[in-house]
């Protein structure tokens, strides 16, 4: 073949050359090329002329001739020089070297080596945490990026375990905006992640190359990052290292991917113990993270704010001469105003970023989800300013330069008003204006106000119930009451940023309640506030606009729960939206509107319930008291006229501390929301509570006398066993002996073992201690210990079992028929990584299920999923989240059992938070192999439940 | 063979804080050896040369705070390169070639010297060469030993393909392809940092 110069169909094309140059050929293609080139003179010439061209001869070759061309691996400049002044090499990059030395041998001379089943093509990067290889996954014929922990960090067992654990958690985050992690594994004792290979730039690089981004791109990248974060947060995973270099663009630069979830913590583990220093760059860290406090999702939002700042200005917000000064600045200083650096950034975006960069987490946006929705609307506004308005939440944000003008409680009142007992009787007058219009609505007469801009008074006027409209130039204005001492009069939205041709609405309201104490007036404390909100009267809530009414109500709730000492009585708020929005069919299967083309007209706190017309929430107050709120539809038989009257109404139900107190005293409370038979006031719902009317009254019947009941709520105590202090969840520690014997297959339990006696004696000791601990909490005879199965058996005191079951039920599987649970193990030992591994091993090797067991667990899953998901099924690998006031749960089905004998495991994460925003998370696994539900509390290392279904218990009993 | 003075720790910390990006790392990786060599050529002792390096980078790092984007203005990297060139030529170009200085006042003395345009062209030449060397270091890990050796023996040492193929026990085709791959990648990497030597 040598000497052939004809072009054959195998000859190199421009495409092939491009792929060769960019490392995109698969190993097979590469070898085919080599084989072809070997025999094709034409292609040899082509390659030669493309390689040794003018650029090579003129600039590359001379440089490499006169300087040292690196030959072996590990030739990074280290900051040392040899006698000739050339950098001394090969000393300090022992990290890369060490990583390369770990590679397994490969047969392919094109490859660097092997990690597991991946052929490593090259080392493409290194950083504080580890090194990144490009590798080829021959099974799936694709390139992947392998991020391997720095071998010297991997010496620390804790860091290694955490790297793997965080990696696995991150791998479970599946979202378009998150760079997928394909696998987590270990090689030569060093953990690594297999990720999607991304050849695109990262955001940091783009900012350095191009400077600040354009507005719509800023919004898009931020929105996508927020979405990625939301997906992670939904699983309780905090990123901890959101920064521009962790945001990757794919080739088209149209999509930003967030990467490196949670790994920062793994590095902290290792480097803190090693050096006592902070790992990584602090510039994008949140103040609480810098202070070493516990961080939650809102910490990531701060970092996202800093990243947004960098996108707007091309530089990070907090910079200084040293790490220390950066840390100081980001915990104490405000960054330089964005518009000073880049005047093209609109004020509202600056306000959003300022809010994100609030030092106090509760001053920021509260969830990435909320932020991404908001940014999406902003993006729509920027793209089509005439069709999409800026979202109301953004318009009401204080401008970056504004300092709070009012004491906190006035703001709070402004928020509280829409759900307090207010009169909205104003009439709107709209005047179109070429400049901009400030529309003032009032539900009181003869209110003198002034409109000011800066120091200057623009206009003074007196407002009546008919309202007023003022045309002024675009700009920032304050609308203030003039000489009014009446504390019941308030201005809502008095700080206006008016844009050309836009209309801003300011509302003057008069509170209906007595004015002695504003807090008390709005929240009498023991009240369930019911705020009927109808479509025509208010711009905050619009019929059918579930989202904004939810958002508004939620904002209130947050404001209240955040406290500032304002309304500590409110423990929880449930929102019911009767909105006609599609998608949810809360307990209305029997409602007449169900048959209407409207579809599913109602939504109860975004939670769907199909179980015979009731829905319930488990609630936990700040003192760890529990109760269940059960809601029931009471108007299924009502007339169409009735339905037309209530459609578009949102109801906020506040559960107060007093309610909890009453419940805790053993009282049930029933509350009925009803529509009075009052044609004059057709849209105002009323409420009636047994706590006010007397517990012995049939409240539902009383309400029926006054009108048509809509929904009834019943609050019930869950269980009144002794209070635990401190933690919401109980933990019992069991000793090594039980732990090992129950969950690990250890030979000492073998009767033939010489140490069998002493092991059994230890087990007995530990069992006694454990049983007495549990009985202290649940009363005598709650549990017994069965040494044969190493199980805690709760079989001779039904009450004890029910208590414990209820205790669990209220957290995880509310409103399900009681599942009889047997606690077979409670251990602190499992939190230790070694045990966790053993446990996983044990769980993995569990036997297949019988037909009955599959059916049982399947139905349990179905019930669980039915409760929380619309379609009632799990899609393997797709995380599903639900949120109710008390907690968030995310579930991922790894596999869904389809047939008898199939193994399935569903990961569950429950995030519980109480009214004071104390959070606690349980990670759980529901396994279909009969091992039941496992919950543990990460970080605290002190909680572990293992629950099996009744089947195992029966089996145990039968055997006995 | 001396490590940087201790204060360099601060510099490194600063560099990390300021950039958190590849640009700065690149920048330092390329300019440090250049400044060192140029300083030594001017007769500075090793310790003084290291001192000059430090002064240069502290000065560049400080001016980073002055940078802000102007629409139509240079992006950060180009700006950084310009600042660096000015700082280096200020530090090195204003001194007589035949004098060696010592002590902490070296920069002051350097600064007192008249400008020397020759320093500019020397710097350009140095940067052009250093960035190729830097690029070669950067991409070295992306290739196996065999592929790299194929490139080095044929493209740099100029050995015949057939000999190289024989000594590496690979086909001539594999050598051709390997050389092409490395050189293509090298050019690409050099292009990435071309901002460092492009004249304004």
């Amino acid at each position: 073949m040598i000497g052939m110069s004809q072009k054959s169909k195998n000859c190199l094309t421009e495409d092939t050359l491009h792929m060769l140059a960019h490392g995109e050929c698969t190993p097979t293609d590469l070898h085919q090329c080599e084989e072809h080139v070997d025999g094709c003179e034409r292609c040899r010439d082509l390659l030669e002329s493309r390689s040794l061209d003018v650029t090579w001869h003129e600039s590359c070759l001379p440089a490499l001739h006169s300087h040292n061309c690196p030959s072996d691996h590990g030739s990074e400049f280290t900051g040392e020089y040899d006698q000739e002044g050339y950098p001394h090499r090969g000393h300090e990059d022992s990290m890369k070297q060490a990583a390369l030395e770990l590679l397994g041998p490969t047969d392919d001379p094109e490859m660097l080596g092997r990690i597991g089943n991946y052929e490593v093509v090259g080392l493409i990067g290194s950083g504080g945490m580890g090194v990144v290889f490009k590798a080829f996954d021959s099974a799936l014929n694709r390139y992947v990026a392998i991020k391997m922990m720095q071998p010297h960090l991997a010496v620390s067992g804790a860091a290694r375990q955490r790297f793997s654990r965080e990696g696995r958690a991150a791998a479970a985050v599946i979202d378009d905006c998150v760079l997928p992690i394909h696998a987590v594994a270990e090689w030569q004792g060093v953990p690594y992640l297999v990720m999607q290979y991304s050849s695109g730039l990262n955001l940091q690089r783009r900012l350095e190359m191009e400077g600040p981004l354009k507005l719509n791109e800023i919004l898009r990248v931020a929105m996508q990052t927020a979405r990625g974060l939301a997906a992670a947060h939904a699983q309780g995973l905090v990123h901890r290292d959101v920064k521009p270099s962790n945001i990757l663009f794919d080739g088209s630069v149209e999509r930003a991917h967030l990467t490196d979830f949670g790994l920062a913590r793994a590095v902290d583990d290792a480097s803190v113990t090693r050096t006592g220093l902070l790992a990584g760059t602090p510039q994008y860290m949140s103040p609480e993270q810098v202070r070493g406090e516990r961080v939650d999702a809102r910490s990531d939002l701060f970092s996202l704010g800093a990243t947004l700042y960098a996108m707007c200005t091309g530089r990070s917000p907090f910079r200084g001469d040293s790490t220390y000064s950066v840390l100081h600045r980001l915990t104490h200083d405000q960054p330089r105003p964005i518009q000073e650096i880049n005047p093209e950034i609109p004020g509202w975006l600056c306000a959003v970023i300022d809010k994100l960069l609030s030092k106090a987490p509760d001053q920021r946006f509260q969830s990435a989800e909320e932020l991404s929705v908001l940014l999406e609307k902003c993006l729509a506004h920027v793209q089509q300013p005439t069709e999409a308005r800026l979202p109301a939440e953004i318009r009401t944000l204080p401008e970056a330069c504004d300092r709070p003008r009012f004491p906190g409680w006035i703001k709070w009142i402004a928020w509280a008003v829409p759900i307090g007992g207010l009169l909205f009787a104003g009439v709107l007058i709209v005047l179109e204006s070429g400049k901009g219009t400030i529309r003032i609505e009032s539900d009181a007469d003869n209110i003198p106000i002034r409109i000011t801009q800066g120091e200057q008074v623009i206009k003074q006027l007196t407002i009546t119930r008919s309202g007023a409209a003022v045309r002024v130039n675009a700009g920032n204005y304050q609308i203030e009451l003039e000489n009014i001492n009446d504390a019941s009069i308030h201005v809502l939205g008095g700080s206006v940023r008016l844009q050309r041709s836009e209309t801003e609405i300011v509302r003057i309201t008069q509170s209906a309640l007595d004015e002695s104490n504003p807090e008390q007036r709005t929240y009498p404390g023991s009240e369930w506030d019911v705020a009927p909100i109808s479509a025509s009267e208010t711009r905050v809530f619009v019929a059918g606009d579930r989202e904004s009414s939810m958002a508004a109500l939620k904002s209130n709730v947050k404001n209240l729960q955040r406290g500032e000492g304002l309304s500590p009585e409110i423990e929880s708020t449930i929102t019911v939206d009767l909105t006609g929005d599609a998608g949810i069919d809360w307990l209305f299967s029997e409602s007449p509107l169900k048959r209407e083309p409207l579809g599913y007209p109602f939504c109860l706190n975004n939670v769907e319930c199909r179980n015979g017309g009731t829905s319930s929430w488990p609630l936990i107050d700040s003192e760890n008291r529990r109760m269940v709120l059960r809601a029931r539809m009471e108007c299924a038989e009502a007339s169409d006229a009735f339905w037309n009257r209530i459609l578009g109404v949102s109801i906020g139900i506040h559960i107060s501390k007093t309610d909890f107190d009453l419940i805790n005293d053993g009282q049930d409370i029933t509350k009925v929301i009803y529509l009075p038979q009052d044609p004059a006031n057709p849209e105002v719902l009323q409420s009636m509570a047994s706590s006010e009317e007397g517990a012995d009254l049939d409240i539902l019947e009383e309400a029926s006398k006054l009108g048509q009941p809509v929904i009834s709520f019943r609050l019930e105590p869950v269980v009144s066993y002794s209070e635990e202090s401190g933690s919401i969840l109980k933990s019992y520690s069991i000793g090594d002996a039980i732990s090992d014997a129950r969950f690990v297959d250890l030979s000492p339990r073998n009767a033939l073992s010489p140490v069998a006696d002493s092991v059994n004696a230890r087990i007995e000791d530990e069992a006694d201690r454990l049983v007495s601990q549990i009985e202290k909490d649940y009363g005598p005879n709650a549990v017994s210990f069965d040494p044969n199965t190493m199980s805690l058996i709760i079989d001779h005191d039904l009450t004890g079992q029910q208590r414990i079951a209820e205790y669990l039920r209220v957290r995880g599987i509310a409103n399900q028929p009681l599942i009889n649970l047997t606690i077979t193990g409670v251990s602190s030992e499992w939190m230790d990584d070694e045990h966790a591994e053993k446990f996983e091993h044990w769980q993995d090797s569990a036997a297949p299920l019988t037909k009955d067991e599959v059916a049982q667990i399947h139905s349990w899953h179905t019930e669980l999923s039915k409760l929380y998901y619309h379609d009632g099924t799990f899609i393997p690998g797709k995380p599903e989240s639900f949120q109710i006031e008390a907690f968030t749960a995310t579930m991922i089905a790894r596999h869904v059992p389809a047939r008898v004998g199939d193994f399935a495991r569903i990961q569950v994460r429950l995030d519980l938070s109480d009214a004071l925003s104390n959070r606690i998370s349980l990670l759980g696994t529901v396994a279909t192999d009969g091992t039941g539900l496992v919950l543990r509390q990460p970080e605290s290392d002190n909680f572990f439940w293992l629950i099996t279904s009744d089947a195992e218990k029966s089996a145990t009993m039968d055997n006995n | 063979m001396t490590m940087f003075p201790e204060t360099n720790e601060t510099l490194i910390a600063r560099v990390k804080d300021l950039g958190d990006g590849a640009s700065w790392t690149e920048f330092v990786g390329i300019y440090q050896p250049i400044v060192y060599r140029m300083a030594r050529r001017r007769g500075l002792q090793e310790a003084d040369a290291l001192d000059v390096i430090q002064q240069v980078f502290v000065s560049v790092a400080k001016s980073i705070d002055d940078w802000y984007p102007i629409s139509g203005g240079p992006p950060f990297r180009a700006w950084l390169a310009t600042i660096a060139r000015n700082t280096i030529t200020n530090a090195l170009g204003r001194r007589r070639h035949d004098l060696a200085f010592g002590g902490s006042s070296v920069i002051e003395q350097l600064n007192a010297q008249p400008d020397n345009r020759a320093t500019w062209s020397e710097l350009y030449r140095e940067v052009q060469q250093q960035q190729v060397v830097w690029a070669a270091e950067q991409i070295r890990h992306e290739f196996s030993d065999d592929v790299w050796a194929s490139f080095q023996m044929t493209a740099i040492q100029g050995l015949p393909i057939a000999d190289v193929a024989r000594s590496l026990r690979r086909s001539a085709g594999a050598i051709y392809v390997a050389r092409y791959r490395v050189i293509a990648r090298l050019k690409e990497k050099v292009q990435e940092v071309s901002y460092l030597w492009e004249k304004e």
Side-chain angles (χ1 to χ4, degrees):
Chain A
M1 295 290 280
I2 291 186
M4 183 185 81
S5 59
Q6 293 295 307
K7 187 171 178 177
S8 83
K9 68 178 168 59
N10 291 330
C11 275
L12 301 180
T13 61
E14 284 301 324
D15 277 355
T16 320
L17 287 174
H18 179 92
M19 287 172 71
L20 281 174
H22 292 88
E24 290 164 7
C25 286
T26 65
T28 319
D29 292 345
L30 189 60
H31 293 309
Q32 274 172 4
C33 279
E34 289 172 357
E35 213 167 291
H36 170 76
V37 170
D38 202 40
C40 175
E41 196 173 323
R42 188 187 158 277
C43 288
R44 290 175 168 203
D45 290 348
L46 179 65
L47 283 178
E48 171 132 7
S49 66
R50 291 295 175 90
S51 307
L52 308 178
D53 60 0
V54 179
T55 316
W56 168 257
H57 283 297
E58 286 187 356
S59 49
C60 299
L61 186 58
L64 294 174
H65 255 310
S66 59
H67 298 65
N68 298 337
C69 176
S71 52
D72 51 356
H73 289 298
S75 53
E76 190 94 332
F77 174 52
T78 62
E80 295 178 29
Y81 299 89
D82 61 19
Q83 288 304 315
E84 280 76 48
Y86 288 102
H88 187 67
R89 295 162 200 290
H91 178 67
E92 212 178 57
D93 63 343
S94 53
M95 184 183 91
K96 278 187 182 176
Q97 196 57 45
L100 287 166
E101 279 165 10
L102 283 180
L103 298 184
T106 171
D107 294 337
D108 189 337
E110 305 284 349
M111 297 294 177
L112 235 50
R114 204 166 43 75
I115 297 174
N117 291 323
Y118 303 94
E119 291 281 352
V120 175
V121 181
L123 196 159
I124 52 178
S126 60
M129 185 199 64
V131 292
V132 184
F133 293 104
K134 178 179 175 181
F136 190 72
D137 179 352
S138 52
L140 292 168
N141 203 44
R142 66 180 176 188
Y143 282 104
V144 293
I146 290 187
K147 185 162 245 171
M148 182 179 252
M149 193 174 197
Q150 272 189 36
H152 74 271
L153 294 180
V155 171
S156 150
R160 198 169 62 230
Q161 298 291 351
R162 180 160 265 170
F163 183 96
S164 302
R165 204 157 59 211
E166 299 282 345
R168 276 197 292 270
V173 180
I174 304 202
D175 191 273
D176 281 352
C177 302
V178 171
L179 193 75
I181 294 178
H182 299 317
V184 183
E186 260 189 34
W187 174 254
Q188 314 275 21
V190 180
Y192 65 91
L193 312 179
V194 184
M195 303 182 294
Q196 179 177 306
Y197 178 72
S198 164
S199 56
L201 291 175
N202 68 43
L203 177 59
Q204 175 70 29
R205 194 86 177 152
R206 276 193 71 193
L207 290 173
E208 285 165 3
M209 292 170 76
E210 298 165 25
L213 306 183
K214 294 205 162 40
L215 179 59
N216 57 0
E217 200 167 6
I218 292 170
L219 290 170
R220 187 173 51 71
V221 172
M223 177 190 82
Q224 288 170 351
T225 309
R227 271 191 199 158
L229 280 177
H233 293 166
Q235 303 203 47
L237 186 64
V238 180
H239 188 296
R240 290 162 184 276
D241 200 16
V242 177
K243 60 182 178 186
S245 54
N246 278 336
I247 296 172
L248 309 181
F249 294 98
D250 62 15
S252 67
V253 198
E254 273 304 303
R255 180 157 298 280
H257 290 295
L258 192 54
T259 182
D260 264 6
F261 278 93
L263 296 175
R265 191 158 53 163
V267 185
D268 278 352
D269 267 9
S271 54
V272 165
T273 47
R274 278 176 59 247
T275 63
L277 290 173
L278 213 57
T281 169
Q283 280 172 306
Y284 295 90
M285 281 185 185
S286 68
E288 62 267 30
Q289 196 175 1
V290 164
R291 287 192 295 264
E293 295 165 8
R294 192 164 176 166
V295 300
D296 60 21
R298 296 172 299 181
S299 166
D300 284 347
L301 291 182
F302 182 94
S303 304
L304 179 54
T307 302
L308 257 164
Y309 185 102
M311 286 194 275
C312 293
T313 63
R315 46 196 276 182
S316 61
F318 303 102
R319 314 200 303 174
D321 284 344
S322 62
T323 301
Y324 174 78
S325 70
V326 170
L327 297 184
H328 183 85
R329 288 202 59 198
L330 73 84
T331 48
H332 293 93
D333 294 355
Q334 296 301 322
R336 187 169 160 194
I338 291 172
Q339 287 177 330
E340 261 182 56
I341 304 172
N342 184 354
E344 288 170 21
I345 302 298
W348 52 262
L349 181 55
C350 300
V352 167
I353 296 171
D354 276 7
K355 189 170 161 86
L356 286 168
L357 290 178
S358 301
K359 307 292 182 207
D362 56 10
Q363 300 286 331
R364 298 172 201 149
F365 291 99
Q366 295 298 294
S367 77
E369 176 71 40
E370 176 193 357
L371 181 65
S372 75
V373 170
L374 216 56
L375 289 169
E376 190 170 8
K377 290 182 191 161
C378 293
L379 184 61
H381 170 72
V382 168
Q383 285 166 343
Q384 294 186 308
T386 49
E387 307 201 349
R389 291 196 71 192
L390 269 181
E393 306 92 297
I394 299 262
R395 281 180 279 139
T396 54
L397 282 181
E399 278 292 314
C401 53
D402 283 0
R403 288 281 155 263
R405 282 163 186 277
F406 303 109
W409 67 266
I410 289 191
K411 266 199 203 153
W412 172 76
I413 280 291
W415 273 116
V417 158
I419 49 171
L422 265 213
L423 306 171
F424 282 138
V427 176
L428 315 185
I429 290 188
V430 185
L431 291 180
E432 287 305 321
S433 163
K435 300 169 167 181
T437 307
I438 299 176
R439 210 163 71 187
I440 302 160
E441 301 163 6
S442 173
D443 50 45
D445 277 326
N446 299 321
I447 308 293
I449 62 152
R450 62 169 177 264
I451 301 175
T452 59
Q453 186 172 32
E455 298 291 298
Q456 195 186 358
V457 177
I458 303 292
K459 195 154 189 171
Q460 288 167 285
L461 65 166
T462 301
I463 305 290
T464 65
R465 280 171 198 259
S466 43
V470 182
R471 295 169 61 203
V472 283
N473 289 324
N476 294 337
Y477 297 92
Q478 284 296 321
I479 289 81
E480 292 157 357
L481 299 175
E482 197 151 49
N483 305 321
I484 284 203
N485 291 325
D486 185 347
S488 69
I489 307 284
H490 307 285
V491 179
L492 301 186
S495 188
V496 169
R497 178 182 167 82
L498 185 64
Q499 298 190 341
R500 189 183 294 264
S501 304
E502 298 246 323
T503 300
E504 296 295 334
I505 300 171
V506 176
R507 180 185 289 280
I508 295 168
T509 60
Q510 181 165 29
S511 161
L513 300 164
D514 91 298
E515 11 270 24
S516 53
N517 179 334
E519 281 124 89
Q520 288 235 327
R521 186 180 66 231
T522 319
Y523 287 102
S526 65
E527 278 300 305
W528 304 37
D529 292 315
V530 176
I533 295 141
S534 70
S536 58
E537 284 182 327
T538 151
R539 72 187 187 90
V540 182
F541 306 102
V542 180
D545 184 1
R546 207 188 115 256
E547 205 165 54
S548 61
S549 53
M550 284 283 281
L553 276 175
K554 279 196 185 283
S555 316
N556 280 305
V557 172
K558 274 178 192 134
N559 239 332
L560 297 169
Q561 291 190 335
R562 181 160 80 223
E564 292 158 3
L566 293 173
S567 184
E569 295 86 359
I570 304 301
E571 295 286 352
S572 188
T573 301
I574 309 286
T575 314
V576 183
D577 299 308
L578 312 176
T579 60
D581 218 23
I584 308 285
D585 61 349
W586 173 63
L587 59 79
F588 298 106
S589 50
E590 68 263 52
S591 95
L593 282 184
K594 180 85 159 85
R595 295 185 295 271
E596 298 290 323
L598 273 173
Y600 309 113
F602 300 103
C603 152
L604 183 52
N605 225 52
N606 216 7
V607 174
E608 159 189 30
C609 175
R610 301 175 180 201
N611 286 344
T614 63
S615 184
S616 58
W617 295 268
L619 301 170
I620 303 171
D621 79 352
S622 52
E623 292 167 27
N624 300 329
R625 295 175 302 186
R626 292 159 287 270
M627 62 183 194
V628 178
L629 172 69
R630 299 187 198 282
R632 234 182 87 83
M633 188 73 181
E634 303 290 355
C635 53
E637 304 299 319
S639 67
D640 284 358
F642 161 83
W643 285 104
N644 290 334
R645 283 173 66 195
I646 65 161
L647 192 62
V649 170
S650 289
I651 304 169
I653 296 119
H654 298 163
I655 317 304
S656 68
K657 192 172 188 314
T658 314
D659 292 326
F660 274 98
D661 288 342
L662 288 171
I663 296 293
N664 204 41
D665 288 344
Q667 273 195 47
D668 286 359
I669 301 177
T670 306
K671 176 85 174 180
V672 179
I673 312 295
Y674 67 96
L675 188 64
Q677 290 160 334
D678 178 10
N681 197 8
E683 280 152 1
V684 177
L685 290 171
Q686 301 289 335
S687 70
M688 181 183 279
S690 61
S691 51
E692 293 156 11
E693 308 289 333
D696 47 348
L697 214 60
D698 184 340
I699 201 86
L700 189 61
E701 201 182 308
E702 291 300 309
S704 323
K705 289 178 193 165
L706 299 171
Q708 168 67 53
V710 181
I711 303 170
S712 68
F713 296 92
R714 188 178 162 82
L715 278 165
E716 300 162 6
V718 168
V719 59
S720 52
Y721 52 81
S722 62
E723 278 306 317
E724 322 90 22
S725 58
S727 166
I728 290 178
L729 300 163
K730 292 302 294 180
S731 68
Y732 306 98
S733 57
I734 63 175
D736 292 347
I738 294 180
S739 170
D740 288 350
R742 176 64 181 91
F743 299 110
V744 186
D745 186 19
L746 286 186
S747 51
R749 279 212 81 225
N750 185 325
L752 300 176
S753 161
V755 293
D757 285 348
S758 73
V759 168
N760 284 333
R762 277 178 59 205
I763 288 174
E764 230 167 87
D765 277 358
E766 289 171 1
D768 284 350
R769 207 164 54 234
L770 178 62
V771 166
S772 68
Q773 276 173 350
I774 295 175
E775 289 188 341
K776 220 164 74 186
D777 292 326
Y778 294 97
N781 302 327
V783 292
S784 64
F785 186 80
D786 175 7
N788 291 322
T789 57
M790 290 290 138
S791 303
L792 281 171
I793 304 293
I794 310 169
D795 55 359
H796 53 275
D797 183 325
L798 190 62
T799 322
Q801 179 177 356
Q802 272 174 345
R803 281 178 191 164
I804 295 172
E806 183 82 20
Y807 180 87
L808 290 164
R809 192 167 73 100
V810 75
R811 279 167 184 76
I813 44 175
N815 198 35
Q816 292 302 295
L818 200 70
I819 299 171
N820 288 325
L821 302 167
T822 305
I823 298 177
T824 56
V826 189
S827 168
S828 64
E829 300 303 311
W830 296 105
M831 287 316 298
D832 141 5
D833 288 314
E834 194 187 334
H835 281 78
E837 242 170 46
K838 284 179 183 169
F839 173 70
E840 276 175 21
H841 174 75
W842 166 76
Q843 203 177 27
D844 281 339
S845 57
L849 296 182
T850 65
K851 189 180 171 188
D852 284 351
E853 284 165 336
V854 168
Q856 183 184 12
I857 287 162
H858 210 150
S859 89
W860 198 72
H861 289 172
T862 313
E863 286 305 308
L864 206 66
S865 56
K866 250 198 208 166
L867 180 64
Y868 300 120
Y869 310 129
H870 308 294
D871 56 4
T873 55
F874 287 104
I875 300 164
K878 184 172 184 288
E880 298 279 2
S881 297
F882 62 88
Q883 171 88 46
I884 51 183
E885 291 298 328
F887 55 82
T888 308
T890 303
M891 304 194 186
I892 302 177
R894 283 292 177 214
H895 314 278
V896 172
R899 296 181 305 275
V900 173
D902 275 1
F903 177 80
R905 189 186 301 172
I906 296 183
Q907 293 177 345
V908 184
R909 178 168 184 130
L910 298 176
D911 285 328
L912 313 177
S913 68
D914 62 18
L916 299 177
S917 295
N918 296 318
R919 295 173 70 85
I920 217 165
S921 295
L922 302 181
L923 290 179
T925 307
V926 183
T928 61
D929 57 1
T931 51
L933 175 67
V934 179
L935 296 176
R936 63 190 164 120
Q937 179 185 0
E939 290 174 343
S940 77
D941 291 3
N942 64 357
F943 180 80
F944 199 93
W945 292 101
L946 175 70
I947 305 149
T948 62
S949 64
D950 224 19
E952 186 174 320
K953 186 188 135 200
S954 318
T956 312
M957 304 299 285
D958 288 347
N959 290 344
N960 294 345
Chain B
M1 299 290 276
T2 313
M3 290 294 286
F4 277 169
E6 266 175 38
T7 36
N8 200 49
E9 291 291 319
T10 325
L11 177 62
I12 289 166
R14 183 188 176 87
V15 163
K16 262 172 73 182
D17 289 351
L18 289 170
D20 180 38
S23 293
W24 182 259
T25 319
E26 274 166 25
F27 171 79
V28 173
I30 291 173
Y31 274 105
Q32 269 197 23
I34 292 171
V35 176
Y36 180 87
R37 284 201 294 270
M38 289 174 72
R40 290 305 300 270
R41 253 179 240 145
R42 279 158 183 73
L44 267 67
Q45 299 296 315
E46 179 172 329
D48 295 332
L50 296 174
D51 198 36
V52 170
I53 291 178
Q54 184 156 341
Q55 299 276 354
V56 165
F57 285 97
V58 166
S59 166
V60 170
K62 275 187 178 153
S63 35
I64 288 177
D65 265 349
D66 299 334
W67 180 79
Y68 60 91
I70 313 160
S71 60
F76 177 72
R77 301 205 312 170
W79 176 86
L80 185 63
T82 310
I83 293 287
R85 284 195 292 265
N86 289 332
T87 316
I88 293 168
T89 45
N90 280 347
L92 295 175
R94 290 179 183 171
R95 65 174 306 276
R96 293 192 302 277
H97 287 204
D98 56 350
L99 268 181
F101 290 89
S104 59
S105 62
V106 60
I107 284 288
E108 285 159 37
Q109 295 186 43
L110 286 176
N111 286 344
Q113 302 304 313
D115 193 1
N116 183 353
R117 296 305 298 178
T119 309
W120 276 91
S121 47
E122 184 190 356
L123 179 59
Y124 276 120
R125 204 169 51 243
E126 280 287 346
V127 173
Q128 281 204 34
Q129 294 205 338
Q130 186 60 39
Q131 46 126 17
V132 174
V133 176
W134 174 86
E137 286 162 13
Q138 295 300 305
I139 64 168
R140 174 60 190 92
H141 293 303
E142 298 175 20
F143 299 97
S144 70
D145 287 344
D146 265 26
V147 171
W148 193 260
S150 307
F151 153 74
Q152 209 172 14
M153 291 162 86
T154 56
I156 298 175
Q157 295 164 16
L159 302 176
I161 297 260
D163 293 358
V164 175
R166 207 174 305 116
S167 80
L168 294 176
R169 297 178 189 193
R170 307 212 53 200
S171 74
I175 306 294
Y176 274 102
V177 172
R179 182 178 65 180
Y180 171 75
R181 284 171 58 210
V182 174
I183 291 179
R185 177 71 183 122
L186 181 70
K187 289 174 189 161
E188 186 181 52
K189 196 75 189 175
V190 169
Q191 195 57 39
E192 278 180 28
V193 289
S194 61
Y195 69 95
L196 289 173
W197 55 274
E198 274 163 1
K199 302 190 185 190
E200 299 91 293

